[in-house]
Amino acid sequence: MSNACFLSEKVHVQITNQLENGEDLTLHCNSGDNDLGEHFLHKDENYKFSFCTNVFDKTLYYCSFAWSGQVRWFDVYAGVRYNCLNCNWRITHSGPCLEPDTPDAQETCYQYRNKS
């Protein structure tokens, strides 16, 4: 069985718990087709998954993040929005931060979204 994607690109997502107070993080990621289940991360631990984008790059993966009684949501991959094949996210209290693919680029932080 091949690890390659047919007519699309393979995306790798890594989510790292960087909550400032050393809190544990529970995350649950989904796409329209896949429920990746719930995962529990201690400080600085990460969760990784990979997928093939669809042909028109309309792939969407969204996650809930829970800590200390709070729940937040964010789209960790939304087509070409973040322009990454290696999407390395740091989860902080104020929002998720996407680490750059290249050394000369800067990290970009976002706000969590309201659940819709």
Side-chain angles (χ1 to χ4, degrees), residues 32-77:
D33 301 323
N34 296 304
D35 182 339
L36 302 180
E38 194 170 88
H39 301 274
F40 183 81
L41 303 178
H42 296 294
K43 174 80 170 157
D44 296 325
E45 288 183 336
N46 62 59
Y47 170 67
K48 299 176 185 178
F49 65 95
S50 299
F51 59 91
C52 296
T53 60
N54 65 30
V55 176
F56 301 107
D57 204 13
K58 300 286 185 191
T59 305
L60 172 67
Y61 272 89
Y62 51 94
C63 302
S64 66
F65 303 100
W67 67 87
S68 300
Q70 299 183 53
V71 180
R72 301 286 187 262
W73 294 267
F74 191 72
D75 299 337
V76 295
Y77 187 85

Side-chain angles (χ1 to χ4, degrees), residues 2-109:
S2 173
N3 198 19
C5 298
F6 181 71
L7 296 177
S8 65
E9 297 188 283
K10 186 141 196 167
V11 174
H12 305 277
V13 175
Q14 177 176 290
I15 300 168
T16 302
N17 175 4
Q18 296 259 296
L19 294 172
E20 292 83 355
N21 295 338
E23 295 159 290
D24 292 330
L25 174 70
T26 301
L27 64 93
H28 190 163
C29 298
N30 298 274
S31 74
D33 301 323
N34 296 304
D35 182 339
L36 302 180
E38 194 170 88
H39 301 274
F40 183 81
L41 303 178
H42 296 294
K43 174 80 170 157
D44 296 325
E45 288 183 336
N46 62 59
Y47 170 67
K48 299 176 185 178
F49 65 95
S50 299
F51 59 91
C52 296
T53 60
N54 65 30
V55 176
F56 301 107
D57 204 13
K58 300 286 185 191
T59 305
L60 172 67
Y61 272 89
Y62 51 94
C63 302
S64 66
F65 303 100
W67 67 87
S68 300
Q70 299 183 53
V71 180
R72 301 286 187 262
W73 294 267
F74 191 72
D75 299 337
V76 295
Y77 187 85
V80 296
R81 183 185 312 165
Y82 305 121
N83 194 26
C84 61
L85 293 178
N86 293 298
C87 305
N88 296 312
W89 292 99
R90 291 187 320 102
I91 302 305
T92 69
H93 287 122
S94 57
C97 297
L98 181 60
E99 296 177 352
D101 272 347
T102 59
D104 57 335
Q106 291 187 343
E107 177 178 78
T108 305
C109 295

